[in-house]
Amino acid sequence: MKLVPGQNITLSAQATLIRVKIPQQGYIIHAIALGSDGKAVPAAAAAYYGRTGLPGLTLAKPASAEPVVQVRPEDIPHGTERMLLCLSAWSGFISAAGKDAIEIADDEKSYTADIPFTGEYERTLILGEIYRRKGEIRFKIRMEGFKHGIESLNQTYGLGLETTPPVRLHSPQL
């Protein structure tokens, strides 16, 4: 089933996989846990770089060309109001990625949503949010862009995320 921005779906009580198909390197997927005040809980609560998990959520290959997010609804703490799933560009803009999609699947259902790389100047895109409503864990497609990228996320959500890409050193040859 094809999803559009603003649409909500109920996630399975079991683990759900969210695969973000992005065409090239230079992008990173990250997740942010938010409390009822709309700020990160605790401050800097994000899955990012080497910190690949939050309670209820794990990122596999967060800086690869096809990151996978595993959501485990039963492990999401009750103090967590929402979790944002974001895509950021290290240099340039999200629109340079072209057009691709996000896939959401569990044992029973599968959904897709196009990632609209149409904003000319966005460096970060909130793909969607995971939240609890009436005892269910739900996912809402957002596709909301931020011109100033990770810096905007830091300011809006009270984070302290690194704003430069990690340095990757080559292993010495023996």
Side-chain angles (χ1 to χ4, degrees), residues 5-89:
Q7 193 167 3
N8 299 281
I9 58 169
T10 301
L11 298 181
S12 167
Q14 279 67 48
T16 298
L17 293 180
I18 301 172
R19 185 177 312 280
V20 182
K21 297 190 167 249
I22 51 179
Q24 55 191 354
Q25 296 293 332
Y27 298 90
I28 189 165
I29 193 85
H30 40 110
I32 304 165
L34 303 176
S36 59
D37 62 354
K39 299 295 182 189
V41 289
Y48 193 74
Y49 293 152
R51 182 174 179 196
T52 57
L54 292 170
L57 184 141
T58 304
L59 297 178
K61 300 196 233 175
S64 76
E66 193 170 289
V68 176
V69 179
Q70 182 183 39
V71 180
R72 297 173 315 282
E74 69 277 2
D75 294 337
I76 297 174
H78 283 280
T80 299
E81 192 76 17
R82 298 180 287 153
M83 289 180 161
L84 301 179
L85 185 60
C86 307
L87 176 67
S88 294

Side-chain angles (χ1 to χ4, degrees), residues 80-140:
T80 299
E81 192 76 17
R82 298 180 287 153
M83 289 180 161
L84 301 179
L85 185 60
C86 307
L87 176 67
S88 294
W90 285 125
S91 62
F93 305 104
I94 293 286
S95 60
K99 182 181 176 190
D100 235 308
I102 180 172
E103 296 175 354
I104 305 158
D106 59 28
D107 290 337
E108 304 165 12
K109 304 177 268 301
S110 180
Y111 304 92
T112 61
D114 289 333
I115 299 174
F117 296 115
T118 56
E120 291 185 39
Y121 301 108
E122 284 96 357
R123 291 183 52 220
T124 291
L125 189 64
I126 297 177
L127 301 171
E129 69 181 83
I130 300 160
Y131 63 97
R132 188 178 278 113
R133 182 169 184 189
K134 296 181 182 178
E136 295 180 326
I137 299 294
R138 301 183 56 82
F139 185 81
K140 178 180 182 180

